Amino acid sequence: MPSLGELIAPRRMGRDFRWLLASSWTSNVGDGVALAAAPLLIASMTSSPILVAAGAILQFLPWLLFGLHAGAIADRFDRRRLVMFANAARAVVLAGLCAFLLTGTANIWIVLAVAFLYGTAEVFVDTAGSTLLPMLVAPSDLGIGNARLQAGYLVANQFAGPPLGAFLFAAGTAWPFLLEIVCVLLAVVLISRMAATPVPPRSAGEGEGEKSHVHTDIGEGLRWLWKNPPVRMLVLIILVFNVTWAAPWGVLVLYVTEHLHMGAIGYGALTTASAVGGILATLCFGWLERHVSFATLMRVVLSLEVLMHLAFALTSTGWVALVIMFLFGAYAFVWGTISTTVRQRLVPAELQGRVASVNMVGVFGGMVIGQALGGVIAQVWGLTAPWWFAFVGAALTLALVWKPISQIVSAAPVDQSLNETQTNEP
């Protein structure tokens, strides 16, 4: 019988993959702790929905400002060292925050500045880190490698970290961030055990005009996307639904603590409930894919998104919110898997990166717009108002895209979608 280590990280995938996996899982524990602790810290300093939403916005804004640059830098330097440097920068930023907290000099503006700096470093960690796996394992093992990394994200970042962060925050505001520093630094040590990754080769002709060449490539990707109706519609759906989703999510901590009266630990429990739903969906997705068409699944998932907003707008009971969040985690995983698969099957190999980057700009752009709207709406009309905005907006969007969903799916050969992934699932 193979050992647990062999089941999680098969020996054939190499020693460096195990170091990468250990580093990723460790870092995700720290990120999960901050997922609950950071909003609680902001909420402890202000009751303004606008400032609370600003904390979330300042973590996503760096993706819009620096995402494309981070990708270019990751293609020019040793990616492992870039991850180490960016994680070390995160630890320095957190150490500064802890110093302010322990001396009693922290205020909302310092915390918001920390959120932006931390988010900027995280852009480079995530961008460079996402390029490491293909450099370490054979193409046939990319599926199982990504599955293991994603399992670590669900368990550590979404399941274990948030309740731990909420518990530590209740014990003292600095404790969760001190633990996060330990996790981030340990992640640096673990990934340093990997062999140095080679600097990616530069294309012939790159030099003084390299920056312009990058912009030309981005423009080519945008033009291709605009001329491809199925992919264009899919990206627009993701953009709009992220606006409506993020509107209430930006003030979720106030909604949970002041409207549902669940407290700090209850806020962490909601995030955990979402992660449990996502883990369950990973076990059920194979059956769903075999028995239900992608078009039907997409419509069902987006319909559940509309109903989720309505349910949160109506409820004032904590246990009902936990059930809603569990279902959200389950269908959100299904949507993410299907939308990514359909997009990848529709986009030519040479344009995958550029179209994926446009998609991510849409994701984070939608979050920034939605959270800004949500903060203003909550400030003016109350904490349930963003849920009503999200319900109406998502319902109208779903009505408009109900028919085009079939056109999106039919444009891709979905009969074999995810078959390769299914054979490599944990």
Side-chain angles (χ1 to χ4, degrees):
M1 178 180 295
S3 65
L4 180 60
E6 180 67 18
L7 289 173
I8 295 175
R11 192 175 302 276
R12 70 176 185 277
M13 298 178 71
R15 170 179 170 273
D16 284 348
F17 170 73
R18 294 189 173 191
W19 288 123
L20 174 64
L21 190 65
S23 177
S24 175
W25 286 11
T26 303
S27 179
N28 269 307
V29 171
D31 290 342
V33 167
L35 193 63
L40 290 171
L41 176 62
I42 293 173
S44 71
M45 294 182 169
T46 179
S47 60
S48 167
I50 293 177
L51 289 177
V52 171
I57 291 172
L58 289 175
Q59 293 183 57
F60 295 130
L61 185 60
W63 280 99
L64 304 182
L65 299 177
F66 309 119
L68 296 178
H69 296 85
I73 292 172
D75 287 341
R76 298 178 188 180
F77 298 100
D78 183 323
R79 290 158 173 171
R80 178 191 63 116
R81 291 185 180 276
L82 183 57
V83 172
M84 292 169 59
F85 177 81
N87 264 330
R90 291 204 296 173
V92 170
V93 171
L94 289 171
L97 173 63
C98 290
F100 284 114
L101 291 173
L102 292 172
T103 58
T105 57
N107 58 50
I108 185 61
W109 304 111
I110 289 174
V111 173
L112 292 178
V114 166
F116 178 76
L117 293 173
Y118 185 90
T120 299
E122 193 169 32
V123 169
F124 289 87
V125 171
D126 291 347
T127 302
S130 68
T131 68
L132 290 175
L133 184 63
M135 303 175 72
L136 301 179
V137 304
S140 58
D141 283 326
L142 283 174
I144 194 170
N146 280 306
R148 297 300 185 263
L149 292 170
Q150 181 66 12
Y153 171 79
L154 283 172
V155 174
N157 187 290
Q158 301 290 300
F159 184 76
L164 178 59
F167 174 79
L168 290 173
F169 184 84
T173 56
W175 283 112
F177 304 104
L178 289 170
L179 176 59
E180 189 178 5
I181 291 173
V182 172
C183 291
V184 169
L185 291 178
L186 181 55
V188 173
V189 172
L190 291 169
I191 204 169
S192 72
R193 302 298 300 274
M194 288 173 48
T197 55
V199 177
R202 295 175 123 181
S203 301
E206 288 185 341
E208 292 297 323
E210 182 177 356
K211 188 172 183 180
S212 298
H213 179 65
V214 170
H215 291 164
T216 299
D217 285 351
I218 293 171
E220 181 186 357
L222 288 170
R223 287 190 295 273
W224 182 92
L225 187 150
W226 185 253
K227 294 177 181 178
N228 190 290
V231 180
R232 184 181 66 214
M233 179 59 67
L234 183 60
V235 171
L236 288 174
I237 290 173
I238 292 172
L239 168 64
V240 175
F241 269 91
N242 268 285
V243 171
T244 56
W245 171 82
W249 240 253
V251 293
L252 182 64
V253 64
L254 293 179
Y255 172 84
V256 172
T257 56
E258 297 183 12
H259 179 72
L260 298 179
H261 306 290
M262 295 178 68
I265 294 179
Y267 175 75
L270 278 178
T271 306
T272 301
S274 173
V276 173
I279 292 170
L280 178 64
T282 65
L283 302 175
C284 299
F285 187 81
W287 184 92
L288 289 172
E289 191 272 333
R290 289 190 299 270
H291 292 85
V292 187
S293 71
F294 271 19
T296 299
L297 282 173
M298 291 175 77
R299 290 191 178 107
V300 168
V301 165
L302 294 181
S303 297
L304 289 173
E305 176 84 353
V306 173
L307 294 176
M308 182 268 291
H309 294 312
L310 177 61
F312 269 126
L314 294 173
T315 190
S316 58
T317 307
W319 70 265
V320 174
L322 287 170
V323 173
I324 298 169
M325 193 65 82
F326 170 82
L327 294 174
F328 164 76
Y331 77 71
F333 170 84
V334 174
W335 167 259
T337 303
I338 293 175
S339 61
T340 300
T341 300
V342 170
R343 187 189 74 244
Q344 290 174 341
R345 296 183 72 86
L346 285 169
V347 178
E350 64 273 16
L351 289 169
Q352 287 279 357
R354 280 167 281 179
V355 175
S357 69
V358 174
N359 184 71
M360 289 305 296
V361 169
V363 167
F364 289 107
M367 288 181 179
V368 170
I369 295 170
Q371 287 171 346
L373 287 173
V376 173
I377 291 170
Q379 182 81 46
V380 176
W381 289 290
L383 292 174
T384 60
W387 294 110
W388 287 109
F389 164 80
F391 166 64
V392 174
L396 290 174
T397 303
L398 179 59
L400 292 173
V401 303
W402 188 272
K403 188 174 181 180
I405 284 175
S406 293
Q407 300 169 358
I408 294 171
V409 174
S410 63
V414 298
D415 291 343
Q416 297 180 352
S417 294
L418 296 176
N419 283 353
E420 182 178 350
T421 302
Q422 293 301 316
T423 61
N424 290 326
E425 283 185 349

